[in-house]
Amino acid sequence: MRAWEIISDGGVDALALNERPDLEPGPGQVLMKIHASSINYRDLTTIEDPVSRKLPFPTVPNSDAAGEIVALGAGVEGMAVGDRVASCFFEDWPAGPISAAIMNTALGGARQGVLAEHVVLNAGGVIPIPPHLSWRQAATLPCAALTAWHALNQPHPVRPGETVLLLGTGGVSVFAQQFCNIMGARTIVTSSSDAKLARMRTLGAAETINYRNNPDWERDARQLTRGIGVDRVVEVGGPGTLQKSISATRVGGHVALIGILSGVAGTVSPTDIMRKSITVRGIYVGSRQMFSEMNAAIAHHRLDPVIDESFAFEDARTAYHRMREAAHFGKLVIDVS
Amino acid sequence: MRAWEIISDGGVDALALNERPDLEPGPGQVLMKIHASSINYRDLTTIEDPVSRKLPFPTVPNSDAAGEIVALGAGVEGMAVGDRVASCFFEDWPAGPISAAIMNTALGGARQGVLAEHVVLNAGGVIPIPPHLSWRQAATLPCAALTAWHALNQPHPVRPGETVLLLGTGGVSVFAQQFCNIMGARTIVTSSSDAKLARMRTLGAAETINYRNNPDWERDARQLTRGIGVDRVVEVGGPGTLQKSISATRVGGHVALIGILSGVAGTVSPTDIMRKSITVRGIYVGSRQMFSEMNAAIAHHRLDPVIDESFAFEDARTAYHRMREAAHFGKLVIDVS
Amino acid sequence: MRAWEIISDGGVDALALNERPDLEPGPGQVLMKIHASSINYRDLTTIEDPVSRKLPFPTVPNSDAAGEIVALGAGVEGMAVGDRVASCFFEDWPAGPISAAIMNTALGGARQGVLAEHVVLNAGGVIPIPPHLSWRQAATLPCAALTAWHALNQPHPVRPGETVLLLGTGGVSVFAQQFCNIMGARTIVTSSSDAKLARMRTLGAAETINYRNNPDWERDARQLTRGIGVDRVVEVGGPGTLQKSISATRVGGHVALIGILSGVAGTVSPTDIMRKSITVRGIYVGSRQMFSEMNAAIAHHRLDPVIDESFAFEDARTAYHRMREAAHFGKLVIDVS
Amino acid sequence: MRAWEIISDGGVDALALNERPDLEPGPGQVLMKIHASSINYRDLTTIEDPVSRKLPFPTVPNSDAAGEIVALGAGVEGMAVGDRVASCFFEDWPAGPISAAIMNTALGGARQGVLAEHVVLNAGGVIPIPPHLSWRQAATLPCAALTAWHALNQPHPVRPGETVLLLGTGGVSVFAQQFCNIMGARTIVTSSSDAKLARMRTLGAAETINYRNNPDWERDARQLTRGIGVDRVVEVGGPGTLQKSISATRVGGHVALIGILSGVAGTVSPTDIMRKSITVRGIYVGSRQMFSEMNAAIAHHRLDPVIDESFAFEDARTAYHRMREAAHFGKLVIDVS
């Protein structure tokens, strides 16, 4: 079977599509035939800088896969060959709070990834996908969708009527918009592109701010909440925007700080966190239990993930280049079989 | 009756002890005869810079008072003349999350303070004190003790066996040590004074770090938790220490960021918050319900607040000077009557 | 202005429509002109047996009203004449847990009710209604809808993918079905009427059980969850069904026991509660904060309350007789003006 | 090695002390040498009626053991030979809510018990014990102590100043008294023995009621809370007392219903649960995480479990007879080695 491998620190163009030995699931494991894999910015930065992450060569990139079970290891119960599943970003985070041990089970990083024709995973590292989704759609869920779900549902769910600030129109923010729709929350979305903001409005955004024209967008966000500030921020922009996000948040509000961006720089003053009793909470994808609840919501409301473009397995490098261009809206997906 | 008043931006020495008209409680209010008032660093900075806080002249300083009810306004139920009570830092924060409206009820800031022989407060703005406490001891509770209690009990209580990092040996940290004792938590305390660290050990601290000798105290704190990091930080040092506090915290841990210090400067990188899924939560004293639970705990365990020194009412200026010297251990209290 | 009054223990036919003096709002109160009032089974039993409730004569019945603010008392902020509002079942339950004091503020019981052309209420006892609702629709919210919302959202919200058992097709159960739709929960509904079950299916019910044909409906409910049992029950049937509801619930599941039915009889064995670690939680309508969140959800999803029939103000007695016949599906509403 | 076995439905006197083959730990397991085992009423009823529990013969009874690790299976990390540990009542309940699958891992019931010289358990089925405890003391923790801890800490911890009603002076109630001491809660204890009530007072009980003299003890309990009712009940008496316990509970209060008693009979009216918005919550021992927190609290406060009497391994039958006599105060312990 074939897999894409990071074999050097040469970046995207140095990725290699290699033949690998066939796999068999051990006790408690499953063999998954992969049909599609989506990519996240985190995958790109991993490929671009495997050294600072201390990754061995070769490492298969990517955390997100959708496919079907083709073999079960000994002792696996409650699953069957033919089950349609997605990979879990953390192969071993069943439920509860995160820990350092859980972090060491991330696919496409601490553990080998899924940009391959087959993969062996712990039975608890795959999860049934909503029936109405295609392979491509299901492949978008493990990282970006679950991150958005986590940000909106922990430490307590966004309540109906609350206002949520979404930064940009990347994969996490687009999913967050769709989840806010079903949770009854009102969104304010920022972007530097009027065209993308128009698409977010079509998806349900209540308010949009083009931050190119409005460098003081945090003031606009406050004004759009009658001076009170937003209830929650899904902060994916990193340090460059965090100060403004905190400034846009109401007394007692929450900022979910997404941990998937690397290479962050810059700093933030904690004065506003103190002065407004704000909670800033680092978020790192989510547990299998959160994934299960998210999938139930997606199935119930028949949400359709937004896919910008899909690529053939052999053209995976092009997909990462497209990610680097950052002109997409929604997810980039690689067809595997 | 007499009250100390901020009558200019002249600082501590410009405070004036003036005669004021006698007070009567309106509907829903009580008249409280004050026996003692403790001071907090926040009171000092208010006196030193009333202008940037937009305070009117005169403003009575201080939030913390202990005394007795001497008259009840119309409609006040469940209280009686002679009840021993303390003031609530926020005159109107009965329970639940904080809001901007609640913040506007802070005594000795948004509202007139309590360094006076009498004060009229809403009935919900006073609370019965633990029976075993003297007036001086009870006067230490409204700000510092409640801040420590809040930091250790929200969003969920510190669990037995957890490790809590306390910065310095100020009023909040000393109370936090006493509360950790009864909650079954192990503490690590930092200070630049070996003598103060020795006192904290006497109070129950499990580990102490003199940060003067150990500028990399965050590494020491991690080592004292077998490399894992502490479960919670009661962060009173402000921006100058926050970066290190976050560095000392475990994956998934909490940093309670105390909002009583003013004049903060400096910044922090959010990378560790993201990378370790840490929660940084701004804390601003606490609600009357938290105060009630804290008092029950203090009464049950017969905790004795630590008082460094007490001053006569007429010598209030000296108390603030002592606060500025920052050599005390525990609380500074002014006897009012 | 006119109001319906309970003037004796003579039941529905002894209700009197009397002229009353005009009202003026006191400090902190509002005067509300009522356009519609819905009735609940609790109102019927109150009218039928005011003596055992120790109600004075006359007592105005009903808790549920929709109308507009026509005058503001002194000190009322954030509201204006013309605001479209509903009454809160408990005139003084802003937020947090219930207490005995809160229970003593129930309209149409401990306090005078709202089946009147005008009513004076505390400003915190009214709440803005979703803009898309008619007066009739808005009048259905204060008791039945909020009870269903409370049952599904406390102590934690029903999660997407969970299964909820709804008993019967009364006002609470119909609202619960609509809320389950937007929360992503699957429902199993019981009734003795195939026609009503068909309507519930149209509203979104996943499964229905006619308990007339299936006296062992709790077994059917378990079978419909692959033998596991349901996650939550909205138990409105009272003691006659509680034993079966508990039997239908999974290990660790919740039963929300609705406290609006009076005249309950029968008993239940606690063995299953112990054996399956089930939580049985008494529910009594809900707080203003819950009401606010519910209204935001209703507005966001443009939910339309289901009204069975409406009656002229003068025909109020007919509405209660219809309630006693128990053949309705959804709510019974009285037009007031 | 030797183990006591249930080999028929002949009750305590039919227990057999048999030689068994030596054990070796498999992957992920540990071999534990047992020094002491405590007994619970549940063990007695299991021995008296193994048939209705569908237990195979032979079944080793008892869930509670303290001892040391003498061998580690493959892949076990973080433990070492010589570690002092206790058994977990549920061999596989690491954390989170209970489930049917977890219930099927109970020792001395669904799985073989620990009244044996050695036992093999999953590594997650043992837990380090507080250092200051003897083997006998540590053997009292797995069932009774953890049940009390669970009842007082879930769904949220008892708050300082709350009042807790304890029924009787069995193992769970005695531990509950000791935990209430450190949690700052006030207790009311019932018993039919003045001598036992005196002992509970010595342990810290604030109020005691001899229910032999006061058949209406629920009224007394309400009076002792100024008519309000208690905040929480640790209900171990079963159906015979549940009605009165609910009657003694305040509006919005909690009843923790302990699921370890078998052979329950009788029923309860749910009217009071509804009328007072009470939560009745079935409790079944607790998770390993709760056990860990409890042990930290026991170690920090140096709590000493109360042991009534201990028995030689060969005299195990006498211990069960003593349990049936029900005259003990605190725990009955069997020395194993």
Side-chain angles (χ1 to χ4, degrees):
Chain A
M1 73 101 184
R2 295 179 303 163
W4 281 96
E5 295 177 338
I6 305 170
I7 56 170
S8 75
D9 61 351
V12 169
D13 291 326
L15 285 174
L17 179 56
N18 288 332
E19 193 69 24
R20 286 195 155 201
D22 285 347
L23 300 164
E24 282 192 33
Q29 295 182 317
V30 298
L31 178 63
M32 177 181 173
K33 175 180 169 61
I34 296 176
H35 288 293
S37 173
S38 84
I39 64 177
N40 298 286
Y41 186 71
R42 169 253 193 191
D43 303 319
L44 175 61
T45 60
T46 300
I47 291 166
E48 290 178 340
D49 186 9
V51 174
S52 72
R53 286 168 182 73
K54 298 173 188 163
L55 296 187
F57 298 127
T59 289
V60 178
N62 284 21
S63 59
D64 292 17
E68 60 193 299
I69 304 291
V70 290
L72 300 175
V76 175
E77 295 180 0
M79 309 182 74
V81 168
D83 282 359
R84 302 173 80 241
V85 296
S87 56
C88 294
F89 184 93
F90 293 109
E91 195 178 355
D92 191 19
W93 187 4
I98 200 167
S99 66
I102 290 168
M103 284 189 176
N104 280 327
T105 70
L107 302 185
R111 293 191 178 174
Q112 293 290 322
V114 295
L115 190 56
E117 290 173 334
H118 289 87
V119 66
V120 163
L121 293 169
N122 293 340
V126 298
I127 191 165
I129 56 178
H132 75 286
L133 297 188
S134 69
W135 296 123
R136 284 179 184 168
Q137 289 175 313
T140 67
L141 303 180
C143 180
L146 187 53
T147 298
W149 183 263
H150 185 171
L152 296 171
N153 281 278
Q154 298 292 331
H156 48 77
V158 167
R159 302 305 300 161
E162 288 191 330
T163 299
V164 178
L165 174 62
L166 306 179
L167 302 191
T169 61
V172 172
S173 295
V174 171
F175 275 115
Q177 176 62 56
Q178 294 179 295
F179 295 145
C180 283
N181 292 347
I182 63 176
M183 297 176 85
R186 172 179 170 254
T187 60
I188 302 173
V189 184
T190 67
S191 173
S192 62
S193 155
D194 284 340
K196 289 182 174 175
L197 289 174
R199 290 195 64 179
M200 286 297 270
R201 279 195 176 273
T202 305
L203 278 177
E207 310 283 353
T208 55
I209 303 174
N210 189 317
Y211 62 78
R212 184 159 302 181
N213 313 330
N214 302 275
D216 294 338
W217 54 264
E218 75 276 18
R219 292 191 205 165
D220 296 3
R222 283 201 307 269
Q223 284 173 356
L224 290 169
T225 55
R226 292 165 294 136
I228 293 169
V230 303
D231 297 285
R232 193 172 296 216
V233 184
V234 180
E235 167 58 78
V236 294
T241 57
L242 180 55
Q243 192 80 64
K244 287 174 179 287
S245 292
I246 292 168
S247 176
T249 302
R250 70 162 165 84
V251 169
H254 281 73
V255 177
L257 191 56
I258 311 300
I260 57 172
L261 295 181
S262 68
V264 294
T267 57
V268 63
S269 158
T271 305
D272 264 5
I273 302 175
M274 294 195 298
R275 203 175 49 81
K276 295 198 289 186
S277 291
I278 286 172
T279 298
V280 176
R281 188 164 177 272
I283 293 285
Y284 196 5
V285 196
S287 69
R288 192 180 189 281
Q289 182 180 316
M290 296 181 206
F291 203 161
S292 173
E293 291 177 356
M294 178 183 77
N295 281 353
I298 290 173
H300 182 86
H301 295 285
R302 300 189 71 82
L303 292 190
D304 285 317
V306 176
I307 295 174
D308 184 88
E309 191 175 357
S310 55
F311 303 85
F313 189 49
E314 292 74 15
D315 297 335
R317 293 193 198 95
T318 313
Y320 294 108
H321 284 304
R322 199 75 87 236
M323 171 65 75
R324 175 51 69 205
E325 292 160 14
H328 55 287
F329 183 96
K331 297 286 293 175
L332 302 173
V333 181
I334 298 166
D335 293 327
V336 177
S337 67
Chain B
M1 71 105 184
R2 295 177 303 162
W4 281 96
E5 295 178 340
I6 305 170
I7 57 169
S8 75
D9 59 352
V12 169
D13 292 326
L15 285 175
L17 179 55
N18 288 331
E19 193 69 25
R20 287 195 152 202
D22 284 346
L23 300 163
E24 283 192 33
Q29 294 181 318
V30 298
L31 178 62
M32 177 179 171
K33 175 178 169 62
I34 296 177
H35 289 292
S37 173
S38 84
I39 64 177
N40 297 286
Y41 186 70
R42 168 253 193 192
D43 302 319
L44 174 62
T45 60
T46 299
I47 292 166
E48 291 179 338
D49 185 8
V51 175
S52 72
R53 287 169 180 72
K54 298 172 188 163
L55 295 188
F57 298 126
T59 289
V60 177
N62 284 20
S63 59
D64 292 16
E68 60 192 299
I69 304 290
V70 290
L72 300 174
V76 175
E77 296 180 0
M79 308 181 74
V81 168
D83 282 359
R84 300 173 81 243
V85 297
S87 56
C88 294
F89 183 93
F90 293 110
E91 195 178 354
D92 191 19
W93 186 5
I98 200 168
S99 66
I102 290 167
M103 284 190 178
N104 281 326
T105 71
L107 301 185
R111 294 191 178 174
Q112 292 291 322
V114 296
L115 190 55
E117 291 173 333
H118 289 86
V119 66
V120 162
L121 293 169
N122 294 339
V126 298
I127 190 164
I129 56 177
H132 74 288
L133 297 189
S134 68
W135 295 123
R136 284 179 185 169
Q137 289 175 313
T140 67
L141 303 179
C143 180
L146 187 52
T147 298
W149 182 262
H150 186 171
L152 295 171
N153 280 280
Q154 299 290 332
H156 48 78
V158 166
R159 304 303 301 158
E162 289 192 330
T163 300
V164 177
L165 175 62
L166 306 180
L167 302 190
T169 60
V172 172
S173 296
V174 170
F175 276 116
Q177 177 61 56
Q178 293 178 295
F179 295 146
C180 283
N181 291 348
I182 62 176
M183 298 175 84
R186 173 181 168 251
T187 60
I188 301 173
V189 184
T190 68
S191 172
S192 62
S193 156
D194 284 338
K196 289 183 175 177
L197 290 174
R199 292 195 63 181
M200 286 298 268
R201 278 194 176 273
T202 305
L203 277 177
E207 309 283 352
T208 54
I209 304 174
N210 189 318
Y211 63 78
R212 184 159 301 182
N213 314 331
N214 303 273
D216 296 337
W217 54 264
E218 75 276 19
R219 290 191 206 165
D220 296 3
R222 282 201 307 270
Q223 283 173 355
L224 289 169
T225 54
R226 291 165 296 135
I228 291 170
V230 302
D231 297 285
R232 193 173 296 217
V233 185
V234 180
E235 168 56 83
V236 295
T241 56
L242 181 54
Q243 192 79 63
K244 286 174 180 287
S245 292
I246 292 169
S247 177
T249 304
R250 71 162 165 82
V251 169
H254 281 72
V255 177
L257 192 56
I258 311 301
I260 56 170
L261 296 181
S262 68
V264 293
T267 58
V268 64
S269 158
T271 304
D272 263 5
I273 302 175
M274 294 196 297
R275 203 173 51 81
K276 295 199 288 185
S277 291
I278 287 172
T279 297
V280 176
R281 188 164 179 273
I283 293 285
Y284 196 5
V285 196
S287 68
R288 191 181 191 281
Q289 181 180 315
M290 296 180 207
F291 203 162
S292 172
E293 291 176 357
M294 178 184 76
N295 281 354
I298 289 173
H300 181 86
H301 295 284
R302 300 189 70 82
L303 292 189
D304 284 318
V306 176
I307 295 175
D308 184 89
E309 189 174 358
S310 55
F311 303 85
F313 189 50
E314 292 73 16
D315 297 335
R317 292 193 197 95
T318 312
Y320 294 108
H321 285 303
R322 199 75 87 237
M323 171 66 74
R324 175 50 72 205
E325 293 160 13
H328 55 288
F329 182 95
K331 297 286 294 174
L332 302 174
V333 180
I334 298 166
D335 292 326
V336 178
S337 66
Chain C
M1 71 101 185
R2 295 178 304 163
W4 281 96
E5 294 177 338
I6 305 170
I7 56 170
S8 75
D9 61 352
V12 170
D13 291 327
L15 285 175
L17 179 55
N18 288 332
E19 192 68 25
R20 287 194 154 202
D22 285 346
L23 301 164
E24 282 191 34
Q29 295 181 317
V30 298
L31 177 64
M32 177 181 172
K33 174 180 170 61
I34 295 176
H35 289 292
S37 174
S38 84
I39 64 177
N40 297 286
Y41 186 72
R42 168 254 193 190
D43 302 320
L44 175 61
T45 59
T46 300
I47 292 166
E48 290 178 340
D49 186 10
V51 175
S52 72
R53 285 168 184 72
K54 299 174 188 162
L55 296 188
F57 298 126
T59 289
V60 177
N62 284 21
S63 60
D64 292 16
E68 60 193 301
I69 304 291
V70 290
L72 300 175
V76 175
E77 294 180 1
M79 309 182 73
V81 168
D83 282 359
R84 303 173 78 241
V85 297
S87 56
C88 295
F89 184 93
F90 292 109
E91 195 178 355
D92 191 19
W93 186 5
I98 200 167
S99 66
I102 289 167
M103 284 189 176
N104 280 327
T105 70
L107 302 185
R111 294 191 178 174
Q112 293 290 321
V114 296
L115 190 56
E117 290 173 334
H118 288 87
V119 67
V120 162
L121 293 169
N122 293 340
V126 298
I127 191 165
I129 55 178
H132 74 287
L133 297 188
S134 68
W135 296 123
R136 283 179 185 169
Q137 289 176 313
T140 67
L141 303 179
C143 180
L146 187 52
T147 298
W149 183 263
H150 185 171
L152 295 171
N153 281 278
Q154 298 291 331
H156 49 77
V158 167
R159 302 305 300 160
E162 288 192 331
T163 300
V164 178
L165 175 62
L166 306 179
L167 302 191
T169 61
V172 172
S173 295
V174 170
F175 275 115
Q177 176 62 57
Q178 294 178 295
F179 294 146
C180 282
N181 292 347
I182 62 176
M183 298 175 85
R186 173 181 169 252
T187 60
I188 301 173
V189 185
T190 67
S191 173
S192 62
S193 155
D194 285 339
K196 288 181 174 176
L197 288 174
R199 291 195 65 180
M200 286 296 270
R201 277 192 176 275
T202 304
L203 277 177
E207 309 283 352
T208 54
I209 303 174
N210 188 317
Y211 63 78
R212 183 159 303 181
N213 313 331
N214 302 275
D216 295 338
W217 54 264
E218 75 277 19
R219 290 190 205 167
D220 295 3
R222 282 202 306 269
Q223 284 173 355
L224 289 169
T225 55
R226 290 163 296 134
I228 292 170
V230 302
D231 297 285
R232 194 174 294 218
V233 184
V234 180
E235 168 58 80
V236 295
T241 56
L242 181 55
Q243 192 80 63
K244 286 174 180 287
S245 292
I246 292 169
S247 176
T249 302
R250 71 162 165 82
V251 169
H254 281 72
V255 177
L257 192 56
I258 311 300
I260 58 172
L261 294 181
S262 67
V264 294
T267 58
V268 64
S269 158
T271 305
D272 263 5
I273 301 175
M274 293 195 298
R275 202 174 50 81
K276 294 198 290 185
S277 291
I278 286 172
T279 298
V280 176
R281 187 164 178 273
I283 293 285
Y284 196 6
V285 196
S287 69
R288 192 180 190 281
Q289 181 180 314
M290 296 181 206
F291 203 161
S292 173
E293 291 177 356
M294 178 183 76
N295 281 354
I298 289 172
H300 182 87
H301 295 284
R302 301 189 70 82
L303 292 190
D304 285 318
V306 176
I307 295 174
D308 184 89
E309 191 175 358
S310 56
F311 303 85
F313 189 50
E314 292 75 15
D315 299 334
R317 293 192 197 95
T318 312
Y320 295 108
H321 284 304
R322 199 74 87 235
M323 171 64 76
R324 175 51 69 206
E325 292 161 12
H328 56 286
F329 182 95
K331 297 287 293 175
L332 302 173
V333 180
I334 298 166
D335 293 327
V336 177
S337 67
Chain D
M1 71 106 185
R2 295 177 302 162
W4 282 96
E5 295 177 339
I6 305 170
I7 56 170
S8 75
D9 60 352
V12 169
D13 292 325
L15 285 175
L17 179 55
N18 288 331
E19 192 69 24
R20 287 194 153 203
D22 284 346
L23 300 164
E24 283 191 33
Q29 295 181 317
V30 298
L31 178 63
M32 177 180 171
K33 175 179 170 63
I34 296 176
H35 288 292
S37 173
S38 84
I39 65 177
N40 297 286
Y41 186 71
R42 169 253 194 194
D43 302 319
L44 175 62
T45 60
T46 299
I47 292 166
E48 291 179 338
D49 185 9
V51 175
S52 73
R53 286 169 181 73
K54 298 173 188 161
L55 295 188
F57 298 128
T59 289
V60 178
N62 284 21
S63 59
D64 292 17
E68 59 193 301
I69 304 290
V70 290
L72 300 173
V76 175
E77 296 180 0
M79 309 181 73
V81 169
D83 282 0
R84 301 173 81 242
V85 296
S87 56
C88 294
F89 184 93
F90 292 110
E91 194 178 355
D92 191 18
W93 186 5
I98 200 167
S99 66
I102 290 167
M103 284 190 177
N104 281 326
T105 71
L107 301 185
R111 294 192 177 173
Q112 293 290 322
V114 296
L115 189 55
E117 291 174 331
H118 289 87
V119 66
V120 162
L121 293 169
N122 294 339
V126 298
I127 191 165
I129 56 177
H132 74 287
L133 297 188
S134 68
W135 295 122
R136 284 179 184 169
Q137 289 175 312
T140 66
L141 303 179
C143 180
L146 187 53
T147 298
W149 182 263
H150 185 171
L152 295 171
N153 280 280
Q154 299 291 330
H156 49 77
V158 167
R159 304 304 301 159
E162 289 192 330
T163 301
V164 177
L165 175 62
L166 305 179
L167 303 190
T169 60
V172 172
S173 295
V174 170
F175 276 116
Q177 176 61 57
Q178 293 178 294
F179 295 146
C180 282
N181 292 347
I182 61 176
M183 299 175 83
R186 172 180 170 253
T187 59
I188 301 174
V189 184
T190 69
S191 172
S192 62
S193 155
D194 284 339
K196 289 182 175 177
L197 289 174
R199 292 196 62 180
M200 287 297 269
R201 278 194 177 273
T202 304
L203 278 177
E207 308 282 353
T208 54
I209 305 175
N210 189 318
Y211 63 78
R212 185 159 300 181
N213 314 331
N214 302 273
D216 295 337
W217 54 264
E218 75 276 19
R219 290 191 206 165
D220 296 2
R222 282 202 307 270
Q223 283 173 356
L224 289 169
T225 54
R226 290 164 296 135
I228 291 170
V230 301
D231 296 285
R232 193 173 295 217
V233 185
V234 180
E235 167 58 81
V236 295
T241 55
L242 181 55
Q243 192 80 64
K244 286 174 180 287
S245 291
I246 293 169
S247 177
T249 303
R250 71 162 165 83
V251 169
H254 281 73
V255 178
L257 191 56
I258 311 300
I260 56 171
L261 295 181
S262 67
V264 293
T267 58
V268 63
S269 158
T271 305
D272 263 5
I273 302 175
M274 293 196 298
R275 203 172 51 80
K276 294 199 288 185
S277 290
I278 286 172
T279 296
V280 176
R281 188 163 179 274
I283 293 283
Y284 196 6
V285 196
S287 69
R288 191 180 190 282
Q289 182 180 314
M290 296 180 207
F291 203 162
S292 173
E293 291 176 358
M294 178 183 77
N295 281 353
I298 289 172
H300 181 86
H301 295 285
R302 300 188 71 84
L303 292 190
D304 284 317
V306 177
I307 295 174
D308 184 89
E309 190 174 359
S310 55
F311 303 84
F313 189 49
E314 292 72 17
D315 298 335
R317 292 193 197 95
T318 312
Y320 295 108
H321 284 304
R322 199 76 86 237
M323 171 66 74
R324 174 51 70 207
E325 292 160 13
H328 55 288
F329 182 94
K331 297 286 294 175
L332 302 174
V333 180
I334 298 167
D335 292 327
V336 177
S337 65

